[in-house]
Every structure is written in C-alpha cells, then in structure tokens.
Amino acid sequence: MDKSTKLLPLIPLRGMNIFPYMVLHFDVGREKSILALEDAMLNNQEIFLGSQKVSKIEEPEEKDIYNIGTICNVKQILKLPGDAIRVLVEGMKRGKILEYKEKEPFVRVEVEIIEDELYEDNKECKAYIRSIDKAFEEYINLSVNNFPDALFSLEETEEPGRYCDMVSSYLILKPETKQELLETVEVIKRLEKLLFILKNEVEVLKIEKKIGTKVKGRIDKIQKEYYLREQMKAIQEELGEDDEDKREIAEYENKIKKAKLPKEAKEKAIYELNRLKSSGNYSSESGVTKAYLDWILALPFNKVTKDTIDINKAREVFKAEHYGLEDVKERIIEYLAVKKISNTLKGPILCLVGPPGVGKTSIAKSVANALNRNFVRMSLGGVKDEAEIRGHRKTYVGAIPGRIIYAMKQAGYRNPLFLLDEIDKMSSDSKGDPADALLEVLDSEQNATFRDHYLELDFDLSKVLFITTANKLDTIPRPLLDRMEVIEVSGYTSEEKFHIAKNHIIPKMLKEHNMDDDKITFSDSSVNCIIENYTRESGVRNLERKIASIIRKAITETVEKGKENVNVTTSHVKRYLGPVLYTYDKADEEDGVGVVTGLAWTEVGGVILPVEVSAMDGTGKLQLTGQLGDVMKESAKAGYSYVRANAAKYNIDKDFYKNKDIHIHVPEGAVPKDGPSAGVTMITAMVSALTNKKVRHNVAMTGEITLTGRVLPIGGLKEKSLAAYRAGIDTIIIPKNNEKDIQKIPNGIKNKLKFIIASKVEHVLENALIGEIYNGDKTI
Ligand code: ADP
C-alpha cells in the first residue's frame, strides 16, 4: 500500500461535515457504523468520516457518500441508553476515498491522505487571511451565536490551510457549502471561496439584522410591557399587594352579586370585572375599568323611595315653608292630586317661570318633601353640548357620564324629584343640541330606556319627577316648551317681602348661624329699610344675603362687646350695611305740562317711567332722546301718528306736524327698560305739550296703543302697581283687558290705589289731563 493512502473504517455522516482540526461529537446508531467504530478503536482509533449527499438515506451506498471527507481520531466514546454511542472525534486530515474495500459487516475504504500545500510568506495568502479575519470578526459580531475563543485560537494559527479550515468549522452554513469548502483542496482557492462565502454571509446577516430590529422594535415594546408587568406582579406578590388585588376583585365580585342590577347591567359589570382580572390592577385600563364599575355599582338602578302623595300633608308643607305663592301652591296641589288618582307620573312637566330669587327652587324642594322623595338639582345654565347631558363615550380619555346620570347617582334613588334649573339658559353648538337629549329625558315614552354614552346601559328615568325652572319663556326651545306646563311665579311686593323676611328668611338664617331666635331680633322698620334701601329685585335672594350679613355683624358685636342679645334697628342696618344703595324714584309733586308718569316692568320688578315731551316752533321734526329701546321708539311714532290723525278732536293745530318740532325724552333710570306698555304715556305727554294742558301729577298709566287709539293689555300689573304706590301715585290708568289682574294685587296696595279702566286713548286723556280736552264735539 502506498504511503499516502490508508485503509480505514468509514462512518457516513448525516447532515453535517467535519473539517481537519475540528472537534465534533455525534451519535452513532446504525449497526454498520457501530461496527466501524469498534474496529477503529482496535486499530489506532483512526476513522474516516464522509458526509452523505442526502441525509435521510438509512443504508447509503458508494454513490450516496461524498468522495472527500476527513480522517479523524476518535477521542472519546460514550455508551448511551439503548444501542447508540456518542463519539467525540477530532479531524486530522482531508482524505479522498479511492476504493470501497469492504462493505460487510462494515465499510472499509482505501483513503488517499491529502496534505495542504505549505505557503511561506505568500502575500496573496496573507491578503486573503487578513480579509477573512475582518469579515469573520464582522460575522461574529452580527451573528446571534457565541464563538468563544474563536478569534483567539485563530490568531495562533499560521498555516493558511489550517486557518481556512478552522474558520470554516465555525461558520454556520448549509452542509453542501461546507462540503464544497472541504473539497477545495487547493489552499488559495479554498481561501478565496471562504472569503466569498463569508462576505456573502455577512451581507445576509446585516439584512437579517435590519429586518430583525424593525420587527423586534415592535415585539420588544410588547415584550417589555409584558416583562414589566410580570415583574410588577412578582414585586406585588413579594409585598403582599397581590393579595390586595385579589381582595379588591373579590370585593367587586361581591358587590356585583349583591347589587340587584338589571340583567344588562349585571352582564356588563361581570364582563368588565373579567377584563380587570386579566389586565391586572396596575395596567392603564384598570383605572378606567374600575371607575366604570364604580359607576355601575353606585347607580340606583333598582332603589326607590315610597311615594306618599298626601294632599293635606303637601298643603301643610307648602304653607310652612313658603309665604304667599298661592297660585303656584294650588297648581302644584292639583298636579299632585291628578298624579295620585292616575297613579302615574306621565303628563306635562311643570315649568316654574319667574325672576331669580322668587322661590322656584325652594318650592320644588318643598314638593320633594311633601312627596317624601329625594331632591336633586341640575343647572342647565351654560350647557351647550349634548355630551354634557348624555356623557362621553368610554373610549375618550377621562370620559365620565353625563349630568343626568351624575345627578341620579347623587339622588341615590331611581325616583327623585329632579329639578332642571335654568332651562332657558341652554344653548347649542356644533357638538349637538342639548335640547334634543333633554327632550328624550323628559319624554315619558322614551325615558324608561335612557342611554348614557359612557354607561352604554339603559337607565330607567320614568319614575323621576321632573320639574324645570326658567327666568323667561322666549329662549326655551319650542319642542321642550310644548312638553311643559308653565306656572308663573311673579315677583314679590315689599309687603310680601317683609312677611317672607320675618317669617322665613330671618328664622332660617338664624338657624344656619346657630343662633337662638331671641338672641338677635329685627325691628319691623329695620326689615323694611333693608327691603327698600338695600335691595332692588323681584325675588328675595339679595334680601337673604343682606340679612345673613347683618346677622354675622350682630353676632360679632355680641361677641366683641359681650352683649347678650341685639335688636336690629334701622340704625343698625345703616351701620352694618353702609350707605343706602337704592331709593325709589318719586313722581313729580306738581302738575306739569308734557310730563307723564308711565309704568314699566323690568327684571328687578316694576318701576315708574317718566316721559317728557316738549313742543316748539320748528319744521315738524320728531326727536327721541333718552333711554328708549326699539319697542318704545315705535310706540312714540305710533302715538305721533294718532295725535296727527286726531288733532282736530283735541283742538290741536292741524299743521303742527309742519310747524312744530316735537321732542320726546325718557330720562335714564337705574334699570334699563323697554317694552310695549308706554304707548298711552307717550300720547298723553304729546297731547299735553301740544295743547298746553297740565297732566295730573298723582296719576300713572300703562298700556299699549293702536293707531286707531285702542288701548291694549300689558303684563306685570302687580309689580307696576307697587312701583306706582312707592312713587307716591294714587291713581293708575290701566287697559280694560287687565281689569281681571287687579284681584291679584295684594290688598295692602290695592286698597290704597284707584284704578281707572281705559279701553280707548280718550279715556286715558280724559282722566290724566286737567280741563276740557275736546274741541267741543267729542265725535270729531
Ligand atoms: P329661585 O329658584 O326662584 O331663583 P330660590 O328658590 O333659590 O329662588 O329662592 C331664594 C331664597 O328665597 C330661598 O332661600 C327661598 O327659601 C327664599 N324664598 C323665596 N320665596 C319664598 C317664599 N315665598 N317664602 C319663603 N321663602 C322664600
């Protein structure tokens, strides 16, 4: 046998290759291979390893095994359970199978030993090696695998062939590629091929990494959160907080069970609870979920109070809590009586309309007391977005339910008395009209299944007793107004205010300040002084404030000066509240030409409206000055036309519209006023000025006119009468159609005034002007 050949047992390798100088361990199971191994162990421990071309072939033949393989040294064998053996081998040299010498019981081949050429100082080799070094380093850095000591052991290697084989053995390549390297016997070619393969691999790894970072970026975030959450769980467990979580969830579970929720709400609550369980207590959603559950659990889905509609009791409550307001009380009693017999709350919604502070809210509270219902109030002033009524969807950050649901939570029961305050102050913007949502709330056909956007559950509002309040009717959306029954609550006279102050406000305020009734008392004149000089309003809200302020000051005085009690007198009032804020305008005390006292109704009650007219030589101009609104300007023009048309009748120069200038002036008062009730006043003043007849100073008047001289009705007679009385007037001329309103005026004032009923302007002029007004024949 030639020196460079050897006879060696063969083990075919499946799916792997071995290079010279490489250490490899693999398991041997096939019988032929085990026998080959045993033979090797008996003879020098040398064996030839050649790779199978197709790894799945069980009994490979010559053609199935690559010719070039590696002569190896068996370093270690280890018997594994069963028949398999684990072998550790070290590659020695390349070998080429020349011939299959034996095939049974194992394969023995004649192998030609292939030695690497030796290169000393070959520049090409060095260049290759240097490039491979660089590329390999890059490969290591990019690769996910670890190559412990790879670079280090390479440094020690000087022979190019060996160097090349070592690098090849580290690379993770397809078996065919590795076989190619093994079969490249010529060292320079092998280096070249290796460099090519290596660079290629580096490129592929770079691309992989790029894709990897992108994908990883996404996955990382999820993983990071997952890890953090897991860590947090672990920390919580350590701290015992996990128990806290479980306790909280158990608490929710318990509450949901006990809460007697309707089916839909219960299902939703359980669904949310399950989400809470899976998301963990510290996730971002858990806060939202808990808030939602808290809402469901806090709402009175099924809690009701028992109504007691007892008309007599209601009467008593109303009487005890409010002075006057007889109409309103009576109307509410009727409303309750109907409800009692029909046993339902369907029907119109009551709407209390009147100026601020007249007791709209507090009478609604009394209704709640009388019915034994809880009271909730929600102000609609400034509401302009539907979401305020109906809530924001849960998907919005920081979403909460709408105000209706919020108020129902406050009420604690499903059937409270629900006061919708200031329904006339609602507006709408681009985000939906709140009036639409409110319509649904108030509609007894629909409100049993009111759905809030946040809650996404039906909530039954059909048992709620809604009452609304407004200052005026004209800004209430029409469809809403149609659904309501309006009850007017008018302003109070000074006398009524006096009673309210004495019997209600003072005792109430003393109680609020924890004062006994006998410690601070108010003289009658002090109360009148506060009403007349320190407040100007239709209601009693400011009065209440002033009284509270006086009580505080009186308390301070008792404390400072060690007094037992204080009886508040007018001088106390002036001392406590400072200089007088208001005085009422007084009417003129003498009869005058062209000066007439009209009456107007303003938001703070009735006021006198003096009108002055002067007629002078000129060219027929009509001049209007002072504080006139549009409506009053029109009254002035209509009055002017009436006077022109009827000039002859009143003995007025028929050409006055050509040769006289008329100037109408309405002096500006403290409160702005406008309205269609100054017509008669204007005409009277004009006729007086043009005829030079005096107007009675003790007469005031109110009424609108038509061009033909009819007197039309006006509003607010009660307030106007009061203003007239305060101004020192004793006679008022009112439109015929307002005659019926006289009975509504409190006796104290009614008895002190004389009412003259006028259906035509003539009646007004006859009673206001002094002397004969007609030009002989009344019928002209
Ligand atoms: P509104 O709702 O009409 O603006 P409130 O109901 O808030 O007015 O009334 C203001 C205050 O005046 C409340 O403290 C109320 O009790 C009191 N008040 C108003 N009218 C009367 C009345 N007729 N009798 C007793 N107190 C009254």
Side-chain angles (χ1 to χ4, degrees), residues 321-325 329 354-363 419 421 469 471 489 492 500 504-505 508-509 539-541 544:
E321 296 181 358
H322 287 92
Y323 173 84
L325 299 175
K329 289 178 187 168
V358 289
K360 301 182 295 297
T361 311
S362 65
I363 196 122
L419 186 75
D421 227 354
T469 78
N471 290 143
V489 190
Y492 297 115
I500 296 173
H504 296 272
I505 298 179
K508 191 164 94 185
M509 289 296 118
V540 289
R541 201 170 284 161
E544 197 173 86

Side-chain angles (χ1 to χ4, degrees), residues 697-710:
H697 75 273
N698 59 335
V699 172
M701 59 187 67
T702 176
E704 187 48 314
I705 42 127
T706 66
L707 280 179
T708 54
R710 277 188 299 124

Side-chain angles (χ1 to χ4, degrees), residues 455-654:
L455 220 53
E456 288 179 331
L457 291 174
D458 286 349
F459 192 91
D460 184 358
L461 295 173
S462 62
K463 297 279 181 289
V464 177
L465 175 59
F466 288 104
I467 294 188
T468 61
T469 78
N471 290 143
K472 45 189 180 355
L473 291 176
D474 46 2
T475 48
I476 303 180
R478 192 74 224 181
L480 271 179
L481 192 58
D482 287 346
R483 216 147 276 182
M484 298 191 289
E485 174 166 347
V486 173
I487 300 182
E488 275 189 42
V489 190
S490 51
Y492 297 115
T493 61
S494 302
E495 214 176 334
E496 286 169 325
K497 285 184 190 172
F498 176 82
H499 285 290
I500 296 173
K502 273 267 171 183
N503 302 327
H504 296 272
I505 298 179
I506 295 174
K508 191 164 94 185
M509 289 296 118
L510 285 173
K511 201 164 158 202
E512 268 179 28
H513 289 87
N514 257 336
M515 268 283 144
D516 290 342
D517 282 0
D518 54 351
K519 287 265 163 62
I520 297 176
T521 48
F522 283 73
S523 75
D524 289 357
S525 57
S526 72
V527 176
N528 277 325
C529 173
I530 309 168
I531 295 171
E532 300 297 338
N533 299 325
Y534 291 91
T535 63
R536 178 159 289 181
E537 57 176 349
S538 299
V540 289
R541 201 170 284 161
N542 273 327
L543 180 61
E544 197 173 86
R545 270 188 220 128
K546 299 285 176 200
I547 288 174
S549 156
I550 290 178
I551 290 177
R552 280 195 302 275
K553 295 214 155 83
I555 292 175
T556 318
E557 198 165 308
T558 51
V559 174
E560 266 178 3
K561 299 192 178 156
K563 282 190 186 169
E564 272 290 298
N565 41 33
V566 176
N567 178 32
V568 179
T569 60
T570 316
S571 64
H572 281 94
V573 172
K574 290 193 174 145
R575 184 147 48 88
Y576 291 155
L577 297 183
V580 164
L581 293 181
Y582 309 104
T583 49
Y584 283 102
D585 298 334
K586 290 276 175 200
D588 280 347
E589 287 184 1
E590 281 173 24
D591 303 335
V593 172
V595 183
V596 183
T597 306
L599 296 168
W601 189 76
T602 71
E603 52 189 48
V604 299
V607 289
I608 57 166
L609 175 80
V611 172
E612 294 174 358
V613 172
S614 73
M616 51 227 134
D617 291 344
T619 53
K621 281 197 292 275
L622 176 67
Q623 204 180 356
L624 304 167
T625 56
Q627 206 210 18
L628 279 90
D630 288 342
V631 184
M632 268 156 72
K633 279 182 191 154
E634 286 181 7
S635 293
K637 285 179 191 155
Y640 185 71
S641 298
Y642 171 84
V643 177
R644 258 187 78 182
N646 295 282
K649 184 157 137 188
Y650 300 115
N651 213 2
I652 297 170
D653 173 8
K654 70 177 177 15

